[in-house]
CSV table of all heavy atoms in Angstrom, one decimal:
chain,number,residue,atom,x,y,z
B,176,THR,N,15.5,16.5,30.6
B,176,THR,CA,16.7,17.4,30.2
B,176,THR,C,17.5,16.6,29.3
B,176,THR,O,17.5,15.3,29.2
B,176,THR,CB,17.4,18.0,31.3
B,176,THR,OG1,18.3,17.0,31.9
B,176,THR,CG2,16.6,18.8,32.3
B,177,ASP,N,18.6,17.2,28.7
B,177,ASP,CA,19.5,16.5,27.9
B,177,ASP,C,21.0,16.5,28.3
B,177,ASP,O,21.8,16.2,27.7
B,177,ASP,CB,19.5,17.2,26.4
B,177,ASP,CG,19.5,18.7,26.6
B,177,ASP,OD1,20.4,19.2,27.1
B,177,ASP,OD2,18.6,19.3,26.0
B,178,THR,N,21.2,17.0,29.5
B,178,THR,CA,22.5,17.2,30.1
B,178,THR,C,22.8,16.2,31.2
B,178,THR,O,22.0,16.2,32.0
B,178,THR,CB,22.7,18.6,30.7
B,178,THR,OG1,22.6,19.6,29.6
B,178,THR,CG2,24.2,18.8,31.1
B,179,GLN,N,23.9,15.5,30.9
B,179,GLN,CA,24.4,14.6,32.1
B,179,GLN,C,25.4,15.3,33.0
B,179,GLN,O,26.3,16.0,32.4
B,179,GLN,CB,25.0,13.2,31.5
B,179,GLN,CG,24.0,12.5,30.6
B,179,GLN,CD,24.6,11.1,30.0
B,179,GLN,OE1,25.7,10.6,30.6
B,179,GLN,NE2,24.0,10.7,29.0
B,180,TYR,N,25.2,15.1,34.2
B,180,TYR,CA,26.1,15.7,35.2
B,180,TYR,C,26.9,14.6,35.7
B,180,TYR,O,26.5,13.6,36.2
B,180,TYR,CB,25.4,16.5,36.4
B,180,TYR,CG,24.5,17.5,35.7
B,180,TYR,CD1,23.2,17.5,35.2
B,180,TYR,CD2,25.1,19.0,35.7
B,180,TYR,CE1,22.6,18.5,34.7
B,180,TYR,CE2,24.4,19.9,35.2
B,180,TYR,CZ,23.1,19.8,34.7
B,180,TYR,OH,22.5,20.9,34.1
B,181,PHE,N,28.3,14.8,35.8
B,181,PHE,CA,29.2,13.7,36.1
B,181,PHE,C,29.7,13.9,37.5
B,181,PHE,O,29.9,15.2,38.0
B,181,PHE,CB,30.4,13.7,35.1
B,181,PHE,CG,30.1,13.2,33.8
B,181,PHE,CD1,29.4,13.8,32.8
B,181,PHE,CD2,30.5,12.0,33.5
B,181,PHE,CE1,29.1,13.3,31.6
B,181,PHE,CE2,30.2,11.3,32.4
B,181,PHE,CZ,29.6,12.0,31.4
B,182,GLY,N,30.0,13.0,38.1
B,182,GLY,CA,30.7,12.8,39.4
B,182,GLY,C,32.2,13.0,39.2
B,182,GLY,O,32.6,13.0,38.2
B,183,PRO,N,33.0,12.9,40.3
B,183,PRO,CA,34.5,13.1,40.3
B,183,PRO,C,35.1,11.8,39.8
B,183,PRO,O,36.4,11.8,39.5
B,183,PRO,CB,34.9,13.4,41.7
B,183,PRO,CG,33.8,12.8,42.5
B,183,PRO,CD,32.5,12.9,41.8
B,184,GLY,N,34.4,10.6,39.7
B,184,GLY,CA,35.1,9.4,39.3
B,184,GLY,C,35.7,8.5,40.5
B,184,GLY,O,36.1,9.1,41.5
B,185,THR,N,35.8,7.3,40.2
B,185,THR,CA,36.5,6.3,41.0
B,185,THR,C,37.7,5.8,40.3
B,185,THR,O,37.5,5.3,39.3
B,185,THR,CB,35.8,5.2,41.6
B,185,THR,OG1,34.7,5.8,42.6
B,185,THR,CG2,36.6,4.2,42.4
B,186,ARG,N,39.0,6.2,40.6
B,186,ARG,CA,40.1,5.5,39.8
B,186,ARG,C,40.5,4.2,40.6
B,186,ARG,O,40.9,4.2,41.7
B,186,ARG,CB,41.3,6.5,40.1
B,186,ARG,CG,42.6,6.1,39.2
B,186,ARG,CD,43.6,7.1,39.1
B,186,ARG,NE,43.1,8.2,38.3
B,186,ARG,CZ,43.1,8.2,37.0
B,186,ARG,NH1,43.3,7.2,36.3
B,186,ARG,NH2,42.7,9.4,36.5
B,187,LEU,N,40.4,3.2,39.6
B,187,LEU,CA,40.8,1.8,40.1
B,187,LEU,C,42.1,1.5,39.4
B,187,LEU,O,42.3,1.6,38.3
B,187,LEU,CB,39.8,0.9,39.5
B,187,LEU,CG,40.1,-0.6,39.6
B,187,LEU,CD1,40.0,-0.9,41.2
B,187,LEU,CD2,39.1,-1.5,38.9
B,188,THR,N,43.0,1.0,40.4
B,188,THR,CA,44.3,0.4,39.9
B,188,THR,C,44.3,-1.0,40.5
B,188,THR,O,44.1,-1.3,41.6
B,188,THR,CB,45.5,1.2,40.6
B,188,THR,OG1,45.3,2.6,40.2
B,188,THR,CG2,46.8,0.6,40.2
B,189,VAL,N,44.6,-1.9,39.4
B,189,VAL,CA,44.6,-3.4,39.7
B,189,VAL,C,46.1,-3.7,39.5
B,189,VAL,O,46.7,-3.7,38.5
B,189,VAL,CB,43.7,-4.2,38.7
B,189,VAL,CG1,43.8,-5.6,39.0
B,189,VAL,CG2,42.2,-3.7,38.7
B,190,LEU,N,46.7,-4.2,40.5
B,190,LEU,CA,48.2,-4.6,40.5
B,190,LEU,C,48.3,-6.1,40.2
B,190,LEU,O,47.4,-6.9,40.4
B,190,LEU,CB,48.7,-4.5,41.9
B,190,LEU,CG,48.5,-3.0,42.4
B,190,LEU,CD1,49.1,-2.9,43.9
B,190,LEU,CD2,49.3,-2.0,41.6
Side-chain angles (χ1 to χ4, degrees):
Chain B
T176 70
D177 45 57
T178 300
Q179 294 184 24
Y180 295 88
F181 283 80
T185 294
R186 181 169 296 283
L187 173 66
T188 301
V189 181
L190 302 176

